[in-house]
Amino acid sequence: QVQLVESGGGLVQAGGSLRLSCTASGRTFTVLGMGWFRQAPGKEREFVAAIRWSGGSTYYADSVKGRFTISRDNAKNTVYLQMNSLKPEDTAVYYCAAKSTGVSPFSARYDYWGQGTQVTVSS
């Protein structure tokens, strides 16, 4: 099993920045990829970004490309999501997810999930 704990959410004005963190524990050697997803009220969970644990290749949703950056610290088993130029439409609960076989933009293909952290962007 792998446990994921997110932190760093909060309230920020439009145009501001936040950095989310996700720390993995447990059988982390089984994790090959990690991703961030978000879910706004009344909407489906959507892909935000993903990173391969080995090599560090990154992938982004078009809606966040150029504004968000995903990175990792292997020594700390931690993945970060740096969010800049935030917009009100970025408001959502952000979830960290881990996958034992690479990365994917599809939430159903992830094996482990964190509890989520709320990000609210005011206009």
Side-chain angles (χ1 to χ4, degrees):
Q1 293 290 325
V2 174
Q3 295 77 42
L4 303 174
V5 178
E6 302 106 331
S7 61
L11 173 64
V12 64
Q13 288 188 332
S17 299
L18 281 175
R19 188 176 81 156
L20 306 182
S21 300
C22 174
T23 299
S25 60
R27 297 171 59 88
T28 57
F29 59 88
T30 64
V31 173
L32 294 184
M34 295 188 71
W36 287 97
F37 290 77
R38 65 187 182 187
Q39 188 166 18
K43 295 188 176 181
E44 293 187 354
R45 190 168 298 189
E46 65 173 0
F47 171 73
V48 176
I51 187 167
R52 293 187 182 272
W53 206 247
S54 176
S57 297
T58 58
Y59 309 85
Y60 297 95
D62 288 343
S63 59
V64 306
K65 204 171 291 183
R67 300 188 298 123
F68 291 10
T69 302
I70 189 171
S71 62
R72 79 211 190 287
D73 184 331
N74 292 35
K76 295 182 179 180
N77 288 329
T78 298
V79 171
Y80 304 98
L81 185 67
Q82 177 66 44
M83 306 185 294
N84 299 328
S85 302
L86 282 162
K87 305 175 181 180
E89 50 263 44
D90 294 317
T91 295
V93 177
Y94 283 70
Y95 296 91
C96 173
K99 194 172 179 297
S100 58
T101 55
V103 295
S104 171
F106 302 108
S107 60
R109 297 184 180 176
Y110 283 77
D111 304 299
Y112 306 101
W113 290 86
Q115 81 287 354
T117 185
Q118 177 70 46
V119 171
T120 303
V121 184
S122 63
S123 57

